Amino acid sequence: IGSLIGLAIAVAMGFALYRGALHLTMRTFFNITGVVIIFFAAGMFAWAVKELSFSGHFPWLGGIAWDSSSILDQNSRLGTAMAGLFGYSQAPAWREVVAYWIYLVPVLSLFIFGKGGMFDAKNRSN
């Protein structure tokens, strides 16, 4: 049912774009998708650090940062989707949290504020 709903939304958006009812500039579209992809990449980086820690490569910052299993269980459908997309963990170790933010802050800052980024003066003129 979820896939049919998603397909129906995609068809409706495609039709609206084609008919001109929904105006979306390519710059806006790629800025939004770029930010989403950066969050995906930060989650994958944190997941890689988690997997490498199992082999003993990252022995530091091993304590549990928090436990959010009462809010969103990682084994639920939404939790599994969030884990797959954003690297969600219901009880992440501090090294995963630190790795996520070490990746996210500089890369997102460069994407938004760097030369040629979303808020670069050249890009705002159009």
Side-chain angles (χ1 to χ4, degrees), residues 10-40:
V11 167
M13 286 181 64
F15 184 73
L17 280 170
Y18 176 74
R19 298 292 288 170
L22 182 64
H23 297 286
L24 181 66
T25 63
M26 287 293 110
R27 176 174 290 135
T28 303
F29 174 76
F30 284 111
N31 282 340
I32 291 169
T33 56
V35 169
V36 171
I37 289 171
I38 290 169
F39 277 93
F40 289 163

Side-chain angles (χ1 to χ4, degrees), residues 45-46 49-54 56-66 89 91-102:
F45 182 68
V49 167
K50 175 183 178 178
E51 293 297 316
L52 285 171
S53 70
F54 291 145
H57 284 56
F58 297 111
W60 56 87
L61 296 174
I64 300 295
W66 63 78
S89 176
W94 280 108
R95 66 179 146 255
E96 297 167 49
V97 175
V98 169
Y100 186 87
W101 290 103
I102 282 176

Side-chain angles (χ1 to χ4, degrees), residues 66-76 88-92:
W66 63 78
D67 185 2
S68 59
S69 59
S70 62
I71 299 170
L72 179 60
D73 186 16
Q74 191 172 344
N75 297 320
S76 68
Y88 170 75
S89 176
Q90 65 188 16

Side-chain angles (χ1 to χ4, degrees), residues 72 76-89:
L72 179 60
S76 68
R77 287 186 183 191
L78 180 59
T80 303
M82 294 297 286
L85 292 174
F86 299 106
Y88 170 75
S89 176

